[in-house]
Amino acid sequence: MCIRDRCQECGRIYEAFCTLCKTLVCPTCVMFGRHKAHEVTHIEDAVRDMRRVLDNAAKEGLFRVDKTERVLLEIRQTKLDCEEKKQDLIRETDQVFQDLIRTLKNRRVEVLNEIEEHFETEQKRIEQNEQKWIQKQDQSVALINFARSNNDSQILKNAEYIVECIDNLRLPLEDTKADVIMDLSLIHISEPTRQAEISYAVFCLKKK
């Protein structure tokens, strides 16, 4: 197999593949350039090795788009559940404070701010997880295209990216449900003050 692409640094035709850097190299780069003393292999062997990597990853089911799609659906459902729980807590908070609005007006604002801050943090974490799985989904599609491609040169040029994607897809699944959010509740602590008919009410968020 002959690859006619040329090295961007030296201008010479690629004749080998650096197994350390996962990239095509020309003789000048191997002898005098940044790939000096690196282990290199014939292009035909590199193509065979990379196709074996792709085949093994495909057999592991790492390219399955339905796998990432299922996780993304769970993440998006968690976002909806998170917003619903947030609204429930806000409604509960409003209902409780209606009876104590004069003595608890300032505390009510503080509690609502705590809820907003907590759910804002959780939403950001969920969205970050969603973006990570969108990236995994994109990588799966890209690897499928590489696996189906007959362009050996393109595979070798993207060898480092291919290996990184496969390693990323092998990472263990993380919990995609915000269980901590669903364990929150609003509690009311009432303590007597100097006047017997008046109680000091405190509201705060607590795990169930």
Side-chain angles (χ1 to χ4, degrees), residues 7-19:
C7 175
Q8 294 182 355
E9 297 180 7
C10 309
R12 298 187 63 180
I13 292 177
Y14 292 125
E15 296 183 15
F17 182 79
C18 178
T19 58

Side-chain angles (χ1 to χ4, degrees), residues 85-101:
K85 184 62 178 180
K86 171 186 170 181
Q87 296 302 325
D88 289 343
L89 281 173
I90 291 175
R91 284 192 295 271
E92 182 183 356
T93 301
D94 285 337
Q95 183 62 44
V96 172
F97 276 103
Q98 286 178 4
D99 300 330
L100 301 165
I101 191 66

